[in-house]
Amino acid sequence: MPPQPFDQAGVKEDMMAVATLERDAELMLRVREGDTHSFGLLLERHRVPVIHFLCRMVQNQPVAEELAQEVFLRVYRSRANYEPTAKFTTWLFRIASHLALNWIRDKRHERGQESLDAEVQEGMSRQVQDRGMSAEQSLVRQSKFEEIRRAIDGLPEKQRAAVLMHKYDEMEYSQIASVLECSESAVKSLLFRAYESLRARLAHMA
Amino acid sequence: MLDHKMTCPLQTDNTDILLDYCSRSLDPDRRAMFERHMVHCAECRDTASAQSEIWMAMDAFEAEPVSADFDQKLYARIDRLEHVPVWDKFWAPVRSYLQGQPAWKPVLSVATASAALAVVFFVRTDVMAPQLMPAIDVQEVVEAEKALEDLDMLGQLESESPQSEKETI
Ligand SMILES: [Zn+2]
């Protein structure tokens, strides 16, 4: 077998990823020691991905922000006993997933799927805004957004969580598995089935 | 090794090859091999084409910008949390334990209410200055319990074996 070319860019990316991981753990350890500035830095790094994940999960911006508040509050509350043995983002997304899955199940139980969908639409109505586009472009964008939103909303909750972490957070299969508390092979199969459903639901868009 | 004679990924458990190919995260060697496979596998070719379309279409599902006062709200909640009365911090683990015991549940509400009344009574008899003893807030007790649950979650991550099949999805 010929020698493999040295993947300099790949190594650089890996080193940056390791640095990011160590930085998160280091910041959290400082938070444990009472450094609130480090908590602010962690919040700055992870606020947007967590809120966006929750927003796509529950499909309601105010609810997503409320759940995200709870996620960061829980991280802060747990600081005294934090040990950097697990990936910080895995822990963060595990808390976020638990909260989102519970919220979806509770809402469905309380109000039934029909009214949940109505609430979702209301919560996401500000989502599609005109950003300097023509009326026609805006309409096309809005319709595309709505199609994708509905297709993702139609996935079983766990498939939805896996797809969102895979697509929008670019997480590795192993990390998604850790977040969702299942094996890597289960995640691969879960994702394939989820995308299969999306392909079927959105076939007319292709 | 994956080559043009390989078993089709769609017929095996290697469907991640197809997903990685469409998300452009497949390494160059495997990418080239999968492309060779697709030349004579119509099923993979069609699935990859549809998956690539979906992958790109999903970019339209943009998330909204975060509210400007998000941090402010969070810090206000943290500030309230920092001022949880010492009594609440003591009571939370006890309550958490008792909640795990089904037979105690009916008694628990009565006990909580009685204990709260007792504290209010003692506080009112000048044990502490009123400004140092905020009203008992059940929410604060619940929040202290949640912290314990979250640490359990971190603990589970530590002990977890990535290959273990904990759950059927
Ligand atoms: Zn094939």
Side-chain angles (χ1 to χ4, degrees), chain B residues 8-9 37 41 44:
Chain B
C8 174
H37 169 76
C41 179
C44 275

Side-chain angles (χ1 to χ4, degrees), chain B residues 26-59:
Chain B
L26 202 59
D27 64 74
D29 285 349
R30 300 214 311 163
R31 183 178 183 82
M33 287 172 196
F34 184 57
E35 280 172 350
R36 280 200 298 274
H37 169 76
M38 280 195 293
V39 169
H40 65 88
C41 179
E43 197 185 356
C44 275
R45 206 163 52 236
D46 293 346
T47 310
S49 162
Q51 175 63 23
S52 296
E53 295 276 358
I54 292 299
W55 187 258
M56 283 188 291
M58 284 173 78
D59 290 340

Side-chain angles (χ1 to χ4, degrees), chain B residues 10-34:
Chain B
L10 292 176
Q11 311 302 326
T12 61
D13 284 338
N14 298 321
T15 49
D16 53 308
I17 291 173
L18 197 141
L19 295 183
D20 291 350
Y21 175 79
C22 298
S23 62
R24 300 183 178 278
S25 54
L26 202 59
D27 64 74
D29 285 349
R30 300 214 311 163
R31 183 178 183 82
M33 287 172 196
F34 184 57

Side-chain angles (χ1 to χ4, degrees), chain B residues 115-127:
Chain B
L117 279 172
V119 168
V120 169
F121 175 77
F122 284 120
V123 169
R124 290 273 164 91
T125 52
D126 300 319
V127 174

